[in-house]
Every structure is written in structure tokens, then in C-alpha cells.
Amino acid sequence: MPRTLITGGAGFLGSHFCDFLLAKGHEVVCMDNLITGSLENIAHIKNNKFTFIKHNVTQHIKVDGPVDYVLHFASPASPIDYLVHPIPTLKVGSLGTHNTLGLAEAKRATYLIASTSEVYGDPLTHPQKEDYWGNVNPVGPRGVYDEAKRFSEAMAMAYHRAHGLDAKIVRIFNTYGPRMRLQDGRAIPNFIYQALMGEDLTIYGDGSQTRSFCYVSDLIEGIYRLLISGINEPVNIGNPKEMTIKEMAEKILHATKSKSKIIYTALPVDDPKIRQPDIALARKVLDWEPKVALDEGLQSTLDFFKTKVSTL
Ligand code: UDP
């Protein structure tokens, strides 16, 4: 059975990937420096094929024994996190990417970088297709994340071209589900937390900006299909169902039956106005599309948040 290294394995997506691969029989080495990840996300794993290593992947990475897959998921991923940790964000997406690529090459492993829809920046085409090069402000506050991921993509392609490394690039669009932190800062966890606590829901700007939200299990399935495919070009994985942030806030108020009000605050700098993945490529080459309806996904996320809030 394959042996897989997941960096950022104690994070939201990384920990779901650990569960998924263990269920497929992989041996999993989970690496995380816990800057935004949490041991709570992997505490339930009782499997002798699972190991956790606390390590910052911007430093040299040592893993004994064979490794078949290297998945580089480590990075702060919420806009407030990368504003608080700008330099670690740049380092994990540059030095961390270089180190994980070097390890994959040494082990002759297949490599996958968790890239992002942020490589498209504030997009000038809609929906976003993989051949769009993006509209990113390199020196704005979000540039630390966007440019690190763009560098990661360039580096992964260079290893593929120069060394023949089997490198995959997934561009992940907005994703939600259980294990997002209560104070994660992204729209869905913020709104659910605020609604459950009876606090005002904070819409940034007028709420007309759009996003397209994918449930975590759909996303993991799509990424796994890419991992085992023969594809070495970037592939969008996300849910094309687009909505405004105001619609999402209202949906969450309704689902939680909360009496909270909506308040409007300043829009963060460079906040993309629209975002929707074009998933024609994933449909064609991975035979993948999302299956979980928004109401269903929100309900399981809400159940998770209710349990968390009850322990506060
Ligand atoms: N947003 C908001 N209120 C919040 C958190 C986020 O209005 O409490 C907005 C944010 O400005 C953005 C959208 O919701 O337009 C999605 O933000 P998120 O942080 O979830 O992710 P992004 O897609 O910007 O990376």
C-alpha cells in the first residue's frame, strides 16, 4: 500500500485528506507546525498506519523510508491568517514548496501542490478557467498568499519539466465543512459562529461580491482523482454554484434560526469581486463534479459548529 506525506495534515483540508487516504489503506505521515492547524483535527485517528511529525516545512524535511506521494497542503489559508503571518505564508509557499519538491524527487514520489483560486486574483474573466493568468496585486496584503501559490505552481512545473517529476497542481476554490475553526475568519465559519453566539453578522462591503462554495468531501474526492490521474496541468476543483456573500449570510441566519442582525463593514483591500470555477476540465479529465448540495453541506457544518460552541 502507498505511503503518503501530507504537509499541513493537521489543518482543515489536510486532516480530511488524512482520513480519506487512511480509509483507502495508505500509510500516512502527517506533518504540521500547528501555526494554524490543530492536533484536535487528528485526535480521533487511531490507526497504526498514521504518524504525526511536528515540523515547519520551510526547514529541511527528513522522512525515513519510502514515500509514494507528497501532498503539500501546509499554509495559512484564511485571509486574516495570512495578514497576521505574512512572512511564514510566503516562506511555506516558496521554501516549503522547494523542500517538499526536493523530497518528492529524492523519493521518486508523485507530488501535489494545493494551489488556489487566489492565483486568479480579482479576476477579469468569469467564470475562471485554468488558462486565465490572473489579476493579482503582488504588493497588496493578499499578495503574500497569492504570489506564494503562484510561485509554488511555477516551481512544481519546473520540477516536472526539468526533472520529470510527476507534479500535480490543484486550484482549490472556496471550501467549507466541519473542522474549520470557530475563529477561522472566513465567511462561512464567521457567519455561523456569529449567528450561534447571537452576535451581528459582519458583511464586508455591501455583500454583492460573489463566491462559489464547495463542500469538503466533494473537494477531497476531486483532488484524489487528480492525484491518481496522468494530468500535470493545473486543474480547478470547486463548486460552480455562485452566490453573493449577502445571500450566504441570509442563508445562515435562516438555517440557524438566529435573531442576529447583519452589519456592513469595510471591504478588505483587493477582495475579489467575483469568483466561480469553470470545472469543465475536471469534468472531462477526472470525471468529477461536486455532489453535495449547499443546504446539506451547511447542515453538517452547522452541527459541527453547534458542538464546538457548546463546549465554550
Ligand atoms: N466576508 C465577509 N464577512 C466575513 C468574512 C468574509 O463579508 O466575516 C467576505 C470577504 O470579504 C469575501 C468573502 O466574504 O468577499 C469570502 O471571504 P473568505 O474570507 O471566506 O475567503 P476569500 O474568498 O476572500 O479568500
Side-chain angles (χ1 to χ4, degrees):
M1 269 299 175
R3 185 159 185 254
T4 298
L5 171 72
I6 309 184
T7 75
F12 165 48
L13 296 181
S15 66
H16 281 285
F17 228 116
C18 289
D19 288 339
F20 184 95
L21 292 177
L22 287 166
K24 291 235 178 270
H26 284 224
E27 187 177 334
V28 173
V29 180
C30 165
M31 195 170 272
D32 205 300
N33 68 348
L34 304 177
I35 178 179
T36 55
S38 163
L39 290 179
E40 236 181 280
N41 290 335
I42 50 172
H44 63 282
I45 302 177
K46 310 272 179 263
N47 187 322
N48 58 13
K49 288 188 173 157
F50 180 78
T51 4
F52 172 72
I53 302 173
K54 184 165 186 284
H55 181 66
N56 184 339
V57 297
T58 64
Q59 310 288 331
H60 179 77
I61 305 170
K62 191 170 173 312
V63 178
D64 292 329
V67 176
D68 303 288
Y69 296 102
V70 174
L71 311 183
H72 185 28
F73 274 72
S75 178
S78 162
I80 57 163
D81 287 332
Y82 46 80
L83 291 186
V84 174
H85 305 289
I87 295 169
T89 301
L90 278 161
K91 286 172 78 175
V92 76
S94 52
L95 305 176
T97 299
H98 187 212
N99 287 337
T100 50
L101 281 162
L103 180 83
E105 199 200 347
K107 303 283 186 185
R108 303 194 180 287
T110 292
Y111 184 86
L112 182 139
I113 176 73
S115 187
T116 168
S117 53
E118 283 282 323
V119 301
Y120 301 123
D122 190 7
L124 303 177
T125 70
H126 196 69
Q128 291 76 54
K129 269 170 83 96
E130 288 87 348
D131 60 5
Y132 176 51
W133 293 348
N135 177 37
V136 171
N137 175 3
V139 294
R142 297 175 88 101
V144 297
Y145 183 69
D146 304 6
E147 295 297 358
K149 293 294 190 182
R150 289 167 68 96
F151 174 87
S152 289
E153 291 197 4
M155 197 67 163
M157 281 314 288
Y159 267 70
H160 173 61
R161 293 196 183 107
H163 297 310
L165 183 79
D166 183 16
K168 323 285 192 191
I169 299 170
V170 57
R171 292 190 179 145
I172 299 172
F173 283 66
N174 294 66
T175 305
Y176 69 101
R179 297 194 199 147
M180 293 188 100
R181 293 160 302 157
L182 293 182
Q183 312 280 6
D184 177 274
R186 282 176 278 193
I188 291 184
N190 257 16
F191 293 159
I192 294 182
Y193 177 75
Q194 290 161 340
L196 293 178
M197 300 297 283
E199 296 174 5
D200 293 339
L201 271 61
T202 52
I203 287 187
Y204 305 155
D206 64 5
S208 65
Q209 69 270 37
T210 68
R211 295 293 186 272
S212 309
F213 295 96
C214 186
Y215 188 64
V216 62
S217 60
D218 279 334
L219 185 97
I220 299 293
E221 174 67 33
I223 298 176
Y224 179 71
R225 289 192 190 197
L226 174 62
L227 183 68
I228 59 170
S229 76
I231 311 294
N232 296 112
E233 60 188 296
V235 180
N236 289 338
I237 297 286
N239 191 322
K241 190 179 164 6
E242 184 182 8
M243 62 196 303
T244 66
I245 291 301
K246 184 157 188 273
E247 282 168 339
M248 177 53 83
E250 282 163 351
K251 209 170 210 342
I252 289 172
L253 278 181
H254 183 73
T256 52
K257 304 186 180 64
S258 170
K259 302 253 178 310
S260 294
K261 294 193 304 295
I262 290 178
I263 57 163
Y264 294 87
T265 65
L267 191 66
V269 176
D270 297 334
D271 197 283
K273 288 180 265 314
I274 44 173
R275 182 181 291 157
Q276 184 194 34
D278 181 320
I279 60 164
L281 182 63
R283 280 199 175 102
K284 181 168 158 227
V285 298
L286 308 177
D287 189 24
W288 173 88
E289 64 180 3
K291 302 250 181 303
V292 180
L294 184 60
D295 286 336
E296 196 188 328
L298 272 184
Q299 193 52 53
S300 56
T301 311
L302 194 50
D303 292 344
F304 171 84
F305 272 71
K306 278 185 181 156
T307 311
K308 281 271 170 200
V309 162
S310 70
T311 62
L312 289 179

